[in-house]
Amino acid sequence: MKLYVLDNGTEILDKSYLVAGANSATTDCKNPDIIWQEIPIHTFLIDHPHGYILFDTACDPDFRKNWPAFIEKQSPYMVSEEQLLLNRLEQLHIRPEEIRTVVMSHLHVDHAGNLSAFSNAQIYVNDEEFTTTLRQYALRQDMDVHVPSDVEHFLAAGLHFRPVLKEEAFLEIAPGVRILNLGPGHSFGMLALEVRLPNSGNFLLAADAIYLRENIEPSISPPGILFDSAGYRKTVRFLTGYAREHNCRILFGHDMEQFDTLIKSTEGYYD
């Protein structure tokens, strides 16, 4: 079994979205400068004897046409042709139709953009995340960073969804690969993925359940983009405890400092 880290570009945004109050004003500094922070957009591919497993699907390659205007102003996305997800897979000589399983951490714009390309895969998504996103779309409600175009694309593709129900706390989808159903926190419902590798050790793919190491050390510091603050803190305590108990390395959702240390798919893999 091999774990590939796919570099799918970067975004730049106000750090207060990543760590709430990161640049708060004080009486000594009433108008602090905004801290703009670059973050990685990345996905993970598992080359498993039972078939390819993909964790998240990055951003829509037609983002300039399909995204609401506010997103490009709030968090501009920078990506080269070679960094686009389908091109990263092609570099590994993998076609989208060969992907057997897709696990969605959640359905935000920077995680669900290419989902419609995987029409042969079984797609795992938290049930509450799935139903609430579709409900907002059907009622034409403000979807914020769940964007209508992503939903339109994956509905039109007739994908094979497998909602992970609230009572399914853990779901072994292949030997050595386990879904952790985290429930609400960063979004309506989050999934993480544990990958147990014989040589490289155990990894816990946390996605946006934990953006940065700074969100958990030295204490819990929630992000500014948050659906359920109590659920977020519960999730962080669970994930950090689980990582200690199962000797897992947590891979954060958008931590550039950590990302720079990882082996990328163009360089090799973890096994």
Side-chain angles (χ1 to χ4, degrees), residues 18 24 26 29 41 50 67 89 123 135 163 172 236 243 248 260 266 271:
L18 304 169
S24 296
T26 66
C29 183
I41 304 299
H50 289 195
W67 283 3
L89 293 176
I123 297 166
R135 182 179 185 276
E172 200 90 9
V236 168
C248 295
D260 285 341
T266 53
D271 63 6

Side-chain angles (χ1 to χ4, degrees), residues 231-246:
Y232 180 85
R233 290 178 180 276
K234 180 181 178 181
T235 291
V236 168
R237 289 192 292 268
F238 168 73
L239 285 176
T240 52
Y242 188 95
R244 285 193 300 270
E245 181 181 352
H246 295 267

Side-chain angles (χ1 to χ4, degrees), residues 119-136:
S119 57
N120 286 349
Q122 183 167 53
I123 297 166
Y124 292 89
V125 61
N126 175 278
D127 182 57
E128 191 65 27
E129 178 75 6
F130 185 60
T131 56
T132 305
T133 301
L134 289 183
R135 182 179 185 276
Q136 287 188 334

Side-chain angles (χ1 to χ4, degrees), residues 188-201:
F188 311 130
M190 303 290 297
L191 300 181
L193 195 67
E194 181 186 7
V195 184
R196 300 184 292 277
L197 299 170
N199 298 315
S200 300

